[in-house]
Amino acid sequence: MSFFPATLETLIDQFAALPGIGRKSAQRLAFHVLSLPESEALAFADAITAARRTVHCCRICQNLTEGDICPICASDRRDHSTICVVSEPRDVLSIERGHEYNGSYHVLHGALSPMSHVGPEDIRIKELIKRVAEEDVEEVIMATNPDTEGEATAMYISRLLKPFSVKVTRLAYGIPVGSNLEFADDATLNRALEGRTEM
Amino acid sequence: MSFFPATLETLIDQFAALPGIGRKSAQRLAFHVLSLPESEALAFADAITAARRTVHCCRICQNLTEGDICPICASDRRDHSTICVVSEPRDVLSIERGHEYNGSYHVLHGALSPMSHVGPEDIRIKELIKRVAEEDVEEVIMATNPDTEGEATAMYISRLLKPFSVKVTRLAYGIPVGSNLEFADDATLNRALEGRTEM
């Protein structure tokens, strides 16, 4: 039995349905929203509606955007002959933060995972193949996560790209900059040794 | 510089403004909302609007409710001569869960805290005094938290209630049921000794 008003219960349920938010946190968030000035609470509700309604995937690279084509795909300052393939929109942000990469992206929106029933048809692989087939692409950099799903996805896509005359590369493995050898795990250290470069 | 669409940034900002939600969690929540079917995302936005618009404080006990008077104050099965004073609406839920207490409540919406500039005028103390003065109240149970602010609030209110012929009590301190003496802190053990009862 609940002692909260029904609309408050509904709001708590909504917060509790978000990933990583438990029942107690959901209650805390709902009480916080009720304590906001009405204009701020409505601004929060509007932000959800606006984002869900206007944000969709770029026709070319599948990254999230408000227009038909995202700013990176539309830019003539970017090198569109290089495509960096990532799993999630947030990975684009991570790479852009480095200010090093100047090519375009392709966002898969997931990674192959037989355990979670995610197959090749569930992520944006065919859109990538179409780009490579139709556009003038020279290099595809596989920047999926260095975990089992990311590896499998990179491997699967690189095989699909074999028939095209395109260079397929993978992000380098190694010890993170600024870290300590003592705390590096064995697999990473072995990969760092294998991939050693001449000084 | 941001590489997310503006409406998505706004939504991330809104989530990040919630208590206990950092920037990374806010991003995760925003991406989750975008991945929901449109109807579910709109239901979330509506829940915020509806809760903020319809939920307000009960005219009598100040607990959150949708009507003029909350179900507990309106019930003729509850003993309205006993008032249990708590800091927050969630504390009502905690006590109701025990199915032991059958009186009414008074929610202060905070506790006295000079450090955070919360004085007697900022919480619902005068509404409580008015109830004791005008209604037929026999006992006021102080159930504020057993911390500095809660103690100070209980002490302050009990002094204000001195002029009225009303019994003022405080929740018992002691070792929690099912716990282990080994892990009880000194202050709690001392209070448990002081408050020992005859078997």
Side-chain angles (χ1 to χ4, degrees):
Chain A
M1 184 181 167
S2 158
F3 295 91
F4 291 131
T7 47
L8 177 53
E9 279 292 333
T10 308
L11 183 57
I12 294 172
D13 290 343
Q14 288 284 355
F15 274 119
L18 296 176
I21 306 282
R23 196 81 201 160
K24 286 257 173 185
S25 301
Q27 274 182 23
R28 196 162 42 93
L29 296 177
F31 282 126
H32 174 80
V33 168
L34 289 186
S35 74
L36 291 175
E38 183 157 334
S39 62
E40 286 182 29
L42 299 187
F44 184 19
D46 287 345
I48 293 172
T49 311
R52 184 62 190 74
R53 283 208 171 129
T54 66
V55 177
H56 53 263
C57 294
C58 168
R59 187 164 51 79
I60 299 174
C61 76
Q62 312 295 325
N63 193 10
L64 297 174
T65 184
E66 288 175 0
D68 181 37
I69 293 176
C70 78
I72 292 176
C73 286
S75 167
D76 54 6
R77 289 184 176 181
R78 310 283 303 213
D79 169 14
H80 296 288
S81 68
T82 308
I83 300 179
C84 177
V85 179
V86 294
S87 291
E88 301 292 343
R90 61 174 170 266
D91 299 332
V92 172
L93 189 69
S94 302
I95 294 178
E96 285 295 302
R97 254 199 321 252
H99 296 289
E100 183 84 21
Y101 180 68
N102 194 37
S104 64
Y105 290 92
H106 190 87
V107 181
L108 296 170
H109 290 275
L112 297 178
S113 172
M115 296 282 280
S116 316
H117 306 287
V118 180
E121 289 301 310
D122 301 316
I123 60 177
R124 313 285 167 89
I125 292 179
K126 60 176 185 298
E127 289 84 349
L128 173 65
I129 306 298
K130 190 161 169 280
R131 281 178 77 181
V132 173
E134 294 178 0
E135 292 171 31
D136 194 15
V137 179
E138 285 169 16
E139 180 175 357
V140 174
I141 305 171
M142 300 305 309
T144 51
N145 286 323
D147 55 13
T148 322
E149 287 85 4
E151 285 299 323
T153 310
M155 196 68 80
Y156 180 85
I157 293 176
S158 69
R159 277 192 207 143
L160 288 183
L161 292 176
K162 274 273 159 62
F164 304 97
S165 64
V166 62
K167 192 169 145 194
V168 181
T169 56
R170 180 87 174 101
L171 284 191
Y173 287 102
I175 45 170
V177 176
S179 74
N180 201 312
L181 278 196
E182 190 181 349
F183 304 121
D185 62 294
D186 297 352
T188 303
L189 261 183
N190 287 344
R191 292 294 197 110
L193 273 172
E194 279 170 31
R196 68 191 180 276
T197 55
E198 209 165 321
M199 292 182 68
Chain B
M1 186 180 168
S2 158
F3 295 91
F4 292 130
T7 47
L8 177 53
E9 278 293 333
T10 307
L11 183 58
I12 295 173
D13 290 343
Q14 288 284 354
F15 274 119
L18 297 175
I21 306 282
R23 195 80 202 161
K24 287 256 172 183
S25 302
Q27 274 183 22
R28 197 163 42 95
L29 296 175
F31 281 126
H32 174 80
V33 168
L34 289 187
S35 74
L36 292 174
E38 183 158 334
S39 62
E40 287 183 29
L42 298 187
F44 184 19
D46 287 346
I48 292 172
T49 311
R52 184 61 191 76
R53 284 212 171 125
T54 65
V55 177
H56 53 262
C57 294
C58 167
R59 188 164 51 80
I60 299 173
C61 76
Q62 313 296 324
N63 194 7
L64 297 174
T65 182
E66 287 173 0
D68 181 36
I69 293 176
C70 78
I72 292 176
C73 286
S75 167
D76 55 6
R77 290 183 175 183
R78 309 284 302 214
D79 169 14
H80 296 288
S81 69
T82 307
I83 299 178
C84 178
V85 179
V86 294
S87 290
E88 302 290 343
R90 60 173 172 269
D91 299 331
V92 172
L93 189 71
S94 302
I95 295 177
E96 286 294 302
R97 256 199 321 253
H99 296 290
E100 183 84 23
Y101 180 68
N102 194 38
S104 64
Y105 291 92
H106 190 89
V107 181
L108 296 171
H109 291 276
L112 296 178
S113 172
M115 295 281 281
S116 316
H117 306 286
V118 180
E121 289 300 311
D122 301 316
I123 61 178
R124 314 285 168 88
I125 293 179
K126 60 179 185 299
E127 288 85 349
L128 173 65
I129 306 299
K130 190 162 171 279
R131 281 177 77 180
V132 174
E134 293 176 2
E135 292 171 32
D136 195 13
V137 180
E138 285 169 17
E139 180 174 358
V140 174
I141 305 171
M142 299 306 309
T144 51
N145 286 322
D147 54 15
T148 322
E149 287 85 5
E151 285 300 325
T153 310
M155 196 68 79
Y156 180 85
I157 293 176
S158 69
R159 278 194 205 142
L160 289 184
L161 293 176
K162 275 271 159 61
F164 304 96
S165 63
V166 62
K167 192 169 145 193
V168 181
T169 55
R170 179 86 175 104
L171 285 191
Y173 287 103
I175 44 171
V177 176
S179 74
N180 201 311
L181 278 197
E182 189 182 348
F183 304 120
D185 62 292
D186 296 352
T188 303
L189 261 182
N190 287 342
R191 294 292 198 109
L193 274 170
E194 279 170 31
R196 66 192 180 275
T197 54
E198 211 163 322
M199 292 182 69

